[in-house]
Structure formats: structure tokens, C-alpha cells
Amino acid sequence: MKHRLNWSAVLFLATFIFFLGISAGFATQITEHQAETEQGALPDTWTYDPVAGTLGHCNSPWVLRVVAEGTNLTVSGIASLPAEPAPLPLGDPVGGGFVIKEIGESAFAWEYKIAGDLVVPDSVTHIRDFAFCCSVEHEKSGTLTLGNNVIYIGKQSFDRNNFRGDLTIPNSVVTIDMYAFTSNFSRKKGNYGRFSLGSGLRSIGECAFSGCDGLVGNLILPEGVLSIGPLAFYGCFGLFSVTVPASVSAIGSGVFFEPVDLKHVIYEGRYPVSVGTGLYDYSHSVTSYVYAAHADSWQAHVESGSLVAGDAIWQGNPIRLCDALFNPLTVTLDARGGILDASRVHAVRTDLPYGFLPIPSREGFIFGGWWKEDEDTASPVVPPTMVMAQTNHTLAAHWYTPAAPGHWIYSPTSQTLCHSDITWVLQVATEDGIHLTIVSVVTEPPIPTLLPLSAPVAGGYVISSIADDAFYMCQKLSGLLIIPNTVTSIGAQAFSYSESLDGPLVVSGSVTNIGVWALQLGNVESMIFLGEFPPVCGSVFGWSATYYIPSVHAAGWNPHVANGPVEAGNATWLGRPIRLLEGSGLTTRHTSVPVPYAWLSGYAGLVTNGDFESAAWGDPDRDGMATWAEYVAGTDPTNDTSVFSVTIDAGRNVHWLPDLTPDCAYTIDGMADLRDSVWGPTNAASRFFRVRVERRQP
């Protein structure tokens, strides 16, 4: 017993010494690290070098040129650029009590080396002309956050940077100079952000927000704004309404030029001292509104009619009195078991659209939109839905239980279609209870995503038509779009200006009616029409597309094309090339090997519903090889006796059929024993062989 105790004591002592040694070493490491930190720069900070006149960052390749006035620094240029586009951490602090006070003229201009989100720190008061003009790598752009003390935003200061997300102008900003934000927040890049202007704003320069077509909703210009420059909101397609305060005394020409979604402009004061021409050029759907108290000042400028009589025309569009309209209300959002990160209370106005409301989440459910409280038979509230209530009210979340994977589920109560796997909820209508017409989008995914219209609808329902404007300007459509062979009609502007959609677009042969501008798409390069020429066909489609048709239908298309026939290879339709599908270079995108559409079309019945991707993944002859693999091997995907075969002759020569040399490359691997784990080059010991086939890409 005594011996065992002594042995235990020795073990304990050794263990204690071991851990003591570790503890001592750990303490030494901490002490050394602390000393190093105290002597050097803190993590994620800038360090000012007064001798070189530069700012260097401890964790970033950017080195900036600066000019100091006391502890205030003005960034004047770039001393050293990153080799590749990289985040610019302007929001990080500067050591030694220094602060970045201004971003100087052309400081980062024309370098295209900024990537990701850009944060302008609260210490900055002035962003000078061209400061960030053309400074962001477009394919790596992020959001823009402006500090809360910025006073001046210079001309072209953020021009052509393709920023994404929301744009919030802080209350501190007084002046936004000309072209300050031109060509940012683009719908073509999938942007769909909110737009708000701070209370301190006094001047908006010429073309300040031109081309920001991905900023959407109801825009309220703050009281105190004095002037709005020409074309300030040119091409801001997504604005539903604009409120112009009584403080505005000057409005430049074409200020709302080409306002695609704009329907209401409310002027809260008397007629401004100076108003340009063509405020609403290229739009005949805008109505201006003024208050009766100021009607006399406006009546003198109307082009025809009377404000009192309700038939006045101004700037080529109707102008009306609005005293009984646009009352401010609050709407409360009831998530009904969901989680809502944003505020539950939102300001709205009667007779204007609700605009974009936040989206809640709920585990195990799919959000089906906001609905009027306790009115399950009413239509859901979507961004363009007009506020008809005259009092404060509540909208309640509608939730769906997911359907079987890869299916749509139809709710007769709410008249919606909800997809099981992707956050698409569509408003639909039906006359016979079976055939569904897609009317509009209720809820869309947070990022551009596939719209699987060809997926089946659970319960035997059928998507039979797509209504006018159903997906108009929807920026969450991406990739391949198939109009399934259950659809007979595509309404006017059904998919127009959905600029995130890049195709291909496949229109099944069942479609007989295509409305005007139904497929006005700028980024879809390939449109495939699988049927005869539609009896009813609109006049405008994709302005960058090439059209493709199967040769079997060429005779029916030829009377409608120019420079025909299509078979000759020079034909155009609606000003764009039209070619035979069999001669196209179109291939599948999501298979292990790109499979030509023409090859798939060569087998009768292989492609159904216009879905080339699914056809390439299928195994119609049930021989265990997917169709894309049969393409590689050169076998017939519809014939189970057509297989890739390999033989070895008496001279140990390996043969295979079919042999598609030179279109395919063949590699023979060997193995001495099947229990080996690795195949390798053949040698004298090889007793087992395999042949690998690789399609050469044209």
C-alpha cells in the first residue's frame, strides 16, 4: 500500500511539472505578443506616415496619398494599388488620433481596383469631384454606405461603379452635385434596392441619379430641397411615386425622363419659380397632383383644361387636385409566428403603392406574402399594390407548408402558386379550377434564381397562360427559362426588362399567342421557338438575341422572316438573326459535359416540354447510362442495345466501339490486380484494363 502511494505521488508530481511548463510557456507567448502589439499598429487600422505623406493599412495592400492639416487627413490619391481588385477598408480607424476628413478630387478615379462593400467613415465631410469615379471592379461591386457627417458629394464622385443594394443619403448631406451616382444600382445586375434622401438635402444636381434603375419604391424628397437639376432622375425606372416638397423653387428639364414605373408625382407647394420642359418625356402614364390651396398658381401653367373641372393637362400628362388623396397612414406587419428583423411599423399613404416591405422568416415554412388581416380571400399585397385603406391597418404574413420537392403547390383560397424548393410565390387566376394563369409575383427569391415554370403543379393543376406584365421588370429571374408545353399564351410585356435573365429562353410549341414586347430582354442571347410560327405574335422581342427554330417548322416561319429562307443561314426576324436549331452551337449548362441541343433534338421524343437539361440527365432506354454519357460514348440514348463495348484480342490489343476519333480522346488505364486501389498507365503486369472517353470541345 505504501509503495503504491509513493508511485502515485511521483505520477502527480510529474504531471504537475508538465502542466506547469506549458503554463509558463503560454504566459511567455502572451507577454511577447502584447509587447509586439503595443509597439506596432493595432489590427485593422491605418497608419499615417508624415514623412512619406501616406496612409498604410496593416491588413490591406492599399497605400493612400494624404495631405494633413493638423489631425485631419485628405485622401489625395493612391500611392500603391493592390495587384487585384480588393476591399478598400476606409471605415477602419487611423492610429495616432488622425481622421480622414475629405476624399479629394479624383482620389480613386478610373482604377477599377475596389472590390466588395465600400464604407465612407463618419469622419468624412466632403467627397470631392470624381473621387470614386470608375473605381470599382464591376463584377465584384458591393454596397455603398455613406458616413453620417458627409456634407458635400461632388460631381461624378461615384459615377459608373455598379454599386448594389439600397442607397441612403444621410441627413447631413446638403449638396449632391451633377452625375454623382450615375449608372449605379442597375437592374441589369439584379439590383432591387430602396432609395431615401436625408432631411438636410438642399440641392440635387443634373443627372445626379440617372440610370439608377434598380432603386425602387416611393421617393419622398425632403422638405428643404431647393433645386432639382435637369435629368436628375432620368432612367430611374423603379420609382412608383415621387413627392416634391413646397420648398422646391427650381426643377430642371427632363427631371423624370423615361419614368417606366412612375405613376404619381405630388407637388406640395405653389408652382415653382422655374420649371423646365419635358419632365415626363417618354411616358404618358404619369399624373401630377397639386393641392387646392395652390391651384391658382398651377392653373396659369396648364396646357389645357381646368384643375377644378378635373381635365387639366400639364407637361403632356394629366394634372389633378389631390386634397382627398394621399393621406399618411401606418401599416403594422404581423409575422404570425415568423421572425421579422426590420421594423413592424411602416409609413404609407392612401392611393399610393405600398412599395417594398421586409420579408420575415419562419422555420419549416415558405413566406407567401403580406395579406390584409383576416381576409384570406383577398389578393396579397405586392409592391405596386395601391393603399386603399383610409385608416391605419395591419398586414399579416401568409405561410405555406412546402410541397413535394420539385413541385408547385396551388392554394385555391389565396389564388397563389408556391414552389417547394425556391422562394417563388406567384399570384394566379383560374376560370375552370384547373387551368392557371400567372398574374404577378407575390414573393421572389433574395437573389436572381431559376424560375422552374416547367415543374409540375401538385394536384393535377396546369399552368396554361402568363398574363400581361406578370414578370415585368422582375430582377430575380436568372439562367434558363422554359415556357412549358402547357402554356398557350404569353401576355404583353410578360417578361420585359427582366434583365437578370440571361437564358437561353425556350418557348414550347404549345404557345400560339405572344403579346407585344412580351420577351423584350436585353441579356438573353438565345431564344428557341420549338413550334410553328405563333398565329398571334407581338412585334418586339430581345434586342440582342439570336432566334432558333427546328428545321421541321422552317417552312411555316419563312413567310415571316427577311432575307430568307431560314435554311440559307442569312435570315432575320424582328431585326435579329434567325437560324436552324440543328446548326446552332447551343449546349446544356448543367451536365458534366456540354451536350449540344441539336444532338438531343435528333432523337424523337427525347426532349419533352422544351427542357434540354432534364433530357440530358435522363436515361430513357434504362441501360444505366445518362443521356449526356451516351453523347460522350457515341451511343443511342433511346436504344438499350446501343452500348459502348470494349474487347481485348490475343495480342493484348484493346478495341472499342463506337470509335469517334478524332471527336473523342481515348485513354487506356491498366491494373495488375482488381484489389489495387489506383488505375495507372498500362505495362507488362497489367491484367485488367479500362477505357476513358473524353469529348473534345469544338
Side-chain angles (χ1 to χ4, degrees), residues 20 44 170 172 282 287 298 611 667:
L20 181 63
D44 295 326
S172 58
Y282 285 85
T287 300
W298 286 86
D611 193 345
T667 303

Side-chain angles (χ1 to χ4, degrees), residues 447-467:
I447 60 174
T449 304
L450 180 76
L451 176 67
L453 287 181
S454 58
V457 182
Y461 300 98
V462 173
I463 299 173
S464 62
S465 61
I466 300 168

Side-chain angles (χ1 to χ4, degrees), residues 379-678:
S379 297
V381 170
V382 294
T385 300
M386 304 296 286
V387 179
M388 304 307 295
Q390 299 299 314
T391 59
N392 298 337
H393 54 286
T394 297
L395 299 178
H398 191 97
W399 298 101
Y400 287 95
T401 302
H407 282 66
W408 293 94
I409 183 169
Y410 169 58
S411 169
T413 302
S414 62
Q415 291 286 284
T416 54
L417 271 180
C418 172
H419 195 267
S420 59
D421 307 322
I422 307 173
T423 314
W424 284 109
V425 180
L426 310 177
Q427 182 75 55
V428 296
T430 181
E431 294 183 357
D432 60 6
I434 296 294
H435 295 87
L436 308 177
T437 296
I438 297 175
V439 176
S440 63
V441 178
V442 176
T443 303
E444 57 191 14
I447 60 174
T449 304
L450 180 76
L451 176 67
L453 287 181
S454 58
V457 182
Y461 300 98
V462 173
I463 299 173
S464 62
S465 61
I466 300 168
D468 294 354
D469 302 318
F471 296 94
Y472 177 68
M473 282 193 168
C474 179
Q475 303 309 314
K476 297 304 170 68
L477 297 171
S478 180
L480 171 71
L481 177 62
I482 299 171
I483 308 300
N485 59 11
T486 58
V487 171
T488 59
S489 175
I490 306 173
Q493 299 191 131
F495 293 95
S496 287
Y497 298 104
S498 297
E499 301 300 355
S500 292
L501 185 63
D502 54 5
L505 172 65
V506 181
V507 179
S508 296
S510 58
V511 175
T512 58
N513 187 326
I514 302 177
V516 175
W517 288 35
L519 306 173
Q520 183 81 348
L521 298 163
N523 292 320
V524 174
E525 296 182 354
S526 303
M527 293 189 185
I528 303 166
F529 295 85
L530 294 177
E532 296 284 355
F533 188 85
V536 180
C537 192
S539 58
V540 181
F541 292 92
W543 53 76
S544 61
T546 296
Y547 306 114
Y548 297 95
I549 60 170
S551 58
V552 67
H553 298 309
W557 281 78
N558 281 331
H560 305 278
V561 305
N563 305 317
V566 177
E567 297 91 328
N570 296 308
T572 60
W573 179 54
L574 302 175
R576 298 296 306 165
I578 181 168
R579 302 290 183 263
L580 294 180
L581 180 61
E582 288 81 355
S584 75
L586 298 176
T587 62
T588 56
R589 291 184 174 188
H590 304 295
T591 47
S592 301
V593 173
V595 182
Y597 282 14
W599 184 85
L600 292 167
S601 299
Y603 294 94
L606 188 62
V607 180
T608 59
N609 214 15
D611 193 345
F612 290 88
E613 296 287 340
S614 295
W617 278 106
D619 181 15
D621 59 3
R622 300 184 181 182
D623 63 358
M625 287 185 69
T627 295
W628 70 262
E630 302 229 28
Y631 163 71
V632 174
T635 54
D636 183 344
T638 64
N639 183 351
D640 62 0
T641 64
S642 175
V643 295
F644 183 77
S645 61
V646 179
T647 58
I648 305 175
D649 62 23
R652 293 170 56 87
N653 297 305
V654 179
H655 306 270
W656 55 84
L657 288 174
D659 186 344
L660 301 183
T661 306
D663 293 333
C664 288
Y666 298 89
T667 303
I668 305 172
D669 296 324
M671 184 182 286
D673 192 320
L674 285 179
R675 289 172 294 183
D676 294 343
S677 58
V678 179

Side-chain angles (χ1 to χ4, degrees), residues 3 32 185 319:
H3 181 75
E32 291 173 353
F185 308 99
I319 182 169

